[in-house]
Amino acid sequence: MPALTIGFRILIAVAVPSAALLAAAGLVVSMAMETATRAERTEDGLKLVAAGGDLVHALQRERGLSAGFLGSRGDEAFRTRMEAARREADIAAAGFAERRQTYAEGAALPGVEAAADATLALLTELQARRAEISAEEVSREDAAAWYTSAIRNLIDLDAALDAGINNSSADGRLLSAYTALAEAKESAGLERAMGAIGFGSGIF
């Protein structure tokens, strides 16, 4: 076996640690990119959840006033308030749809996308449902149930994002608390809807 020259030995001595350093650097860069992607995905998801929260609030208000309108047999005061709530819900729905599009362009979580798309699919029925309510062609129970299903999809979106991020992080803890609050708010919203029926009909 021929003896290695000094230059070749130096080359080997430098190349081996250099290769190890490059491999370590590549790993660090890969981890940093993964962390950045995860952070971006979380940030976009939180913005989507916030837009969903606005829509939840608007739909809860519209649900309650729609139930009151049906319970009152078409009272004009309820109709005026219901129509104002509908305009607010339309603004919130447009904001949610826009945020959903932005989320789809990033590193989206499948469960979050599915919940968002389920909500958007239901919202395509919104105008038809409203027409039925305005014409008093639907029962207050069925009307309330439809709104509740849309709201439930939005709360499921919160839970899907919560499951997809690191719950030990500040964002994860905040989202867990937000999801619990959304559940409590929906329970209160259902109580308000039933109260609106009572006030509208004059019977509890």
Short mmCIF file of all heavy atoms in Angstrom, two decimals, residues 89-115:
data_model
loop_
_atom_site.label_atom_id
_atom_site.label_comp_id
_atom_site.label_asym_id
_atom_site.label_seq_id
_atom_site.Cartn_x
_atom_site.Cartn_y
_atom_site.Cartn_z
N ALA A 89 -73.39 39.33 9.80
CA ALA A 89 -72.92 37.96 9.53
C ALA A 89 -72.31 37.86 8.13
O ALA A 89 -71.32 37.13 7.94
CB ALA A 89 -74.07 36.97 9.69
N ASP A 90 -72.88 38.57 7.17
CA ASP A 90 -72.32 38.55 5.81
C ASP A 90 -70.90 39.12 5.79
O ASP A 90 -70.02 38.61 5.09
CB ASP A 90 -73.22 39.35 4.86
CG ASP A 90 -74.50 38.62 4.51
OD1 ASP A 90 -74.54 37.38 4.69
OD2 ASP A 90 -75.46 39.29 4.07
N ILE A 91 -70.69 40.20 6.54
CA ILE A 91 -69.35 40.79 6.62
C ILE A 91 -68.36 39.80 7.26
O ILE A 91 -67.25 39.60 6.77
CB ILE A 91 -69.39 42.11 7.42
CG1 ILE A 91 -70.20 43.17 6.65
CG2 ILE A 91 -67.98 42.62 7.70
CD1 ILE A 91 -70.49 44.43 7.45
N ALA A 92 -68.80 39.17 8.35
CA ALA A 92 -67.94 38.19 9.04
C ALA A 92 -67.66 36.99 8.14
O ALA A 92 -66.54 36.46 8.12
CB ALA A 92 -68.60 37.75 10.34
N ALA A 93 -68.67 36.55 7.38
CA ALA A 93 -68.49 35.39 6.49
C ALA A 93 -67.49 35.71 5.38
O ALA A 93 -66.66 34.87 5.01
CB ALA A 93 -69.83 34.97 5.90
N ALA A 94 -67.56 36.93 4.85
CA ALA A 94 -66.61 37.33 3.80
C ALA A 94 -65.19 37.37 4.36
O ALA A 94 -64.23 36.93 3.70
CB ALA A 94 -67.00 38.69 3.25
N GLY A 95 -65.04 37.86 5.57
CA GLY A 95 -63.72 37.89 6.21
C GLY A 95 -63.18 36.50 6.45
O GLY A 95 -61.99 36.23 6.26
N PHE A 96 -64.06 35.59 6.85
CA PHE A 96 -63.65 34.20 7.09
C PHE A 96 -63.21 33.54 5.79
O PHE A 96 -62.19 32.84 5.74
CB PHE A 96 -64.79 33.42 7.73
CG PHE A 96 -64.47 31.97 7.97
CD1 PHE A 96 -63.66 31.59 9.03
CD2 PHE A 96 -64.96 30.99 7.12
CE1 PHE A 96 -63.35 30.25 9.24
CE2 PHE A 96 -64.66 29.66 7.34
CZ PHE A 96 -63.86 29.29 8.40
N ALA A 97 -63.98 33.74 4.72
CA ALA A 97 -63.65 33.13 3.43
C ALA A 97 -62.30 33.65 2.92
O ALA A 97 -61.49 32.88 2.37
CB ALA A 97 -64.75 33.42 2.41
N GLU A 98 -62.06 34.93 3.11
CA GLU A 98 -60.78 35.51 2.68
C GLU A 98 -59.63 34.93 3.48
O GLU A 98 -58.58 34.58 2.92
CB GLU A 98 -60.84 37.02 2.86
CG GLU A 98 -59.56 37.73 2.40
CD GLU A 98 -59.65 39.24 2.57
OE1 GLU A 98 -60.74 39.75 2.93
OE2 GLU A 98 -58.62 39.91 2.35
N ARG A 99 -59.83 34.79 4.78
CA ARG A 99 -58.77 34.22 5.63
C ARG A 99 -58.56 32.75 5.31
O ARG A 99 -57.43 32.25 5.35
CB ARG A 99 -59.15 34.42 7.09
CG ARG A 99 -58.12 33.92 8.08
CD ARG A 99 -56.76 34.49 7.85
NE ARG A 99 -56.70 35.94 7.94
CZ ARG A 99 -55.62 36.65 7.66
NH1 ARG A 99 -54.51 36.04 7.23
NH2 ARG A 99 -55.64 37.96 7.77
N ARG A 100 -59.62 32.04 4.95
CA ARG A 100 -59.49 30.64 4.56
C ARG A 100 -58.62 30.51 3.32
O ARG A 100 -57.79 29.61 3.22
CB ARG A 100 -60.89 30.05 4.30
CG ARG A 100 -60.88 28.70 3.57
CD ARG A 100 -60.28 27.61 4.44
NE ARG A 100 -60.20 26.35 3.75
CZ ARG A 100 -59.15 25.92 3.07
NH1 ARG A 100 -58.07 26.68 2.94
NH2 ARG A 100 -59.15 24.73 2.51
N GLN A 101 -58.79 31.41 2.36
CA GLN A 101 -57.98 31.38 1.15
C GLN A 101 -56.52 31.61 1.47
O GLN A 101 -55.63 30.93 0.94
CB GLN A 101 -58.49 32.44 0.17
CG GLN A 101 -57.74 32.46 -1.15
CD GLN A 101 -57.82 31.14 -1.91
OE1 GLN A 101 -58.85 30.47 -1.89
NE2 GLN A 101 -56.73 30.76 -2.55
N THR A 102 -56.23 32.55 2.34
CA THR A 102 -54.86 32.82 2.74
C THR A 102 -54.25 31.61 3.43
O THR A 102 -53.09 31.24 3.19
CB THR A 102 -54.81 34.03 3.70
OG1 THR A 102 -55.35 35.17 3.02
CG2 THR A 102 -53.39 34.33 4.14
N TYR A 103 -55.04 30.95 4.28
CA TYR A 103 -54.57 29.77 5.00
C TYR A 103 -54.24 28.64 4.03
O TYR A 103 -53.26 27.92 4.21
CB TYR A 103 -55.62 29.32 6.00
CG TYR A 103 -55.16 28.19 6.91
CD1 TYR A 103 -54.20 28.43 7.89
CD2 TYR A 103 -55.68 26.91 6.79
CE1 TYR A 103 -53.78 27.41 8.72
CE2 TYR A 103 -55.27 25.89 7.62
CZ TYR A 103 -54.32 26.14 8.58
OH TYR A 103 -53.88 25.13 9.40
N ALA A 104 -55.04 28.49 2.99
CA ALA A 104 -54.82 27.42 2.00
C ALA A 104 -53.52 27.61 1.25
O ALA A 104 -52.93 26.64 0.76
CB ALA A 104 -55.99 27.36 1.02
N GLU A 105 -53.06 28.85 1.15
CA GLU A 105 -51.84 29.14 0.40
C GLU A 105 -50.58 28.85 1.21
O GLU A 105 -49.47 28.88 0.67
CB GLU A 105 -51.85 30.61 -0.04
CG GLU A 105 -52.96 30.91 -1.06
CD GLU A 105 -53.16 32.40 -1.27
OE1 GLU A 105 -52.46 33.19 -0.59
OE2 GLU A 105 -54.02 32.77 -2.10
N GLY A 106 -50.73 28.60 2.50
CA GLY A 106 -49.58 28.32 3.35
C GLY A 106 -49.50 26.85 3.71
O GLY A 106 -50.05 25.98 3.03
N ALA A 107 -48.78 26.58 4.80
CA ALA A 107 -48.62 25.19 5.28
C ALA A 107 -49.81 24.84 6.16
O ALA A 107 -49.76 24.90 7.38
CB ALA A 107 -47.30 25.06 6.05
N ALA A 108 -50.91 24.48 5.53
CA ALA A 108 -52.17 24.26 6.24
C ALA A 108 -52.25 22.86 6.84
O ALA A 108 -51.68 21.90 6.33
CB ALA A 108 -53.33 24.49 5.28
N LEU A 109 -52.99 22.76 7.94
CA LEU A 109 -53.26 21.47 8.57
C LEU A 109 -54.55 20.90 7.97
O LEU A 109 -55.56 21.60 7.88
CB LEU A 109 -53.43 21.63 10.08
CG LEU A 109 -52.17 21.99 10.87
CD1 LEU A 109 -52.53 22.43 12.28
CD2 LEU A 109 -51.23 20.78 10.92
N PRO A 110 -54.53 19.63 7.54
CA PRO A 110 -55.71 19.04 6.88
C PRO A 110 -56.98 19.14 7.71
O PRO A 110 -58.05 19.43 7.18
CB PRO A 110 -55.28 17.59 6.65
CG PRO A 110 -53.79 17.63 6.61
CD PRO A 110 -53.40 18.71 7.59
N GLY A 111 -56.89 18.87 9.01
CA GLY A 111 -58.08 18.91 9.86
C GLY A 111 -58.69 20.29 9.94
O GLY A 111 -59.92 20.44 9.96
N VAL A 112 -57.84 21.30 9.97
CA VAL A 112 -58.32 22.68 10.01
C VAL A 112 -58.98 23.04 8.69
O VAL A 112 -60.05 23.66 8.65
CB VAL A 112 -57.15 23.64 10.33
CG1 VAL A 112 -57.63 25.09 10.30
CG2 VAL A 112 -56.54 23.31 11.69
N GLU A 113 -58.34 22.66 7.59
CA GLU A 113 -58.92 22.93 6.27
C GLU A 113 -60.28 22.25 6.11
O GLU A 113 -61.22 22.84 5.57
CB GLU A 113 -57.97 22.45 5.18
CG GLU A 113 -56.73 23.31 5.01
CD GLU A 113 -56.03 23.02 3.70
OE1 GLU A 113 -55.60 21.87 3.51
OE2 GLU A 113 -55.93 23.94 2.88
N ALA A 114 -60.39 21.02 6.58
CA ALA A 114 -61.64 20.29 6.45
C ALA A 114 -62.77 20.98 7.21
O ALA A 114 -63.89 21.10 6.70
CB ALA A 114 -61.47 18.85 6.95
N ALA A 115 -62.47 21.43 8.44
CA ALA A 115 -63.49 22.12 9.24
C ALA A 115 -63.88 23.44 8.60
O ALA A 115 -65.06 23.81 8.57
CB ALA A 115 -62.99 22.33 10.66
#
